[in-house]
Amino acid sequence: MQTSLKETNTGVVKMSGGEEDETKKKGFRLLGILDIQNTPCARDSILHGAGGSAAAGLLHFLATSRVKRSFDIGLAGFMLTTLGSWFYCRWNNARLRVQQRIIQDGMKKKLMYEGTALDPTNRPGAATSSGPT
């Protein structure tokens, strides 16, 4: 087993073993299928689903006093809220990745064309002198 010293933000030195590192890499699996810690949006979607489930089931129970139907409504609320939150988060992440890729390509092109005749900021007539005339 490997032991190492780690300094935290507060200046306290902690001793950690190899077991702690193994648990961080392993993650938490939901029903053995979904690795919640390493899958983007999974944790937030499940938490939103739990809140939606509790709200839908409780509101239906308070309105009708039917336990079994309230449980069914809560389960449906969990599924709908989880899937809705999941798809919205994944769509938003994909949109942000596309924007980042466009910005990175623009920065590469700016660096490549800077100072050449192809530089769009170096147009004739657009340059003005910064000194006194």
Side-chain angles (χ1 to χ4, degrees):
M1 183 188 307
Q2 191 178 33
T3 304
S4 62
L5 297 176
K6 293 182 182 180
E7 186 173 342
T8 62
N9 292 339
T10 59
V12 177
V13 177
K14 293 172 57 176
M15 223 170 153
S16 66
E19 294 175 9
E20 183 178 323
D21 296 333
E22 290 173 8
T23 57
K24 286 183 182 178
K25 292 178 186 176
K26 186 177 180 184
F28 176 73
R29 290 191 171 277
L30 179 69
L31 300 175
I33 301 169
L34 181 64
D35 188 8
I36 292 179
Q37 290 179 343
N38 297 327
T39 305
C41 303
R43 179 180 179 270
D44 291 335
S45 296
I46 296 217
L47 290 174
H48 289 142
S53 166
L58 183 64
L59 288 175
H60 189 270
F61 177 74
L62 291 175
T64 63
S65 296
R66 296 176 68 184
V67 177
K68 185 181 181 315
R69 179 65 57 99
S70 297
F71 177 79
D72 294 340
I73 296 292
L75 184 63
F78 174 78
M79 292 174 63
L80 289 174
T81 309
T82 301
L83 289 175
S85 176
W86 172 274
F87 285 122
Y88 175 75
C89 183
R90 295 295 291 206
W91 174 76
N92 198 25
N93 282 351
R95 188 177 53 85
L96 288 174
R97 279 195 307 268
V98 168
Q99 285 179 348
Q100 285 178 338
R101 193 176 316 126
I102 290 171
I103 290 171
Q104 286 175 346
D105 289 342
M107 289 171 56
K108 285 179 187 176
K109 287 179 182 177
K110 170 114 174 94
L111 286 174
M112 188 172 17
Y113 293 132
E114 191 172 25
T116 65
L118 299 174
D119 188 5
T121 60
N122 193 14
R123 286 179 253 140
T128 58
S129 62
S130 59
T133 54

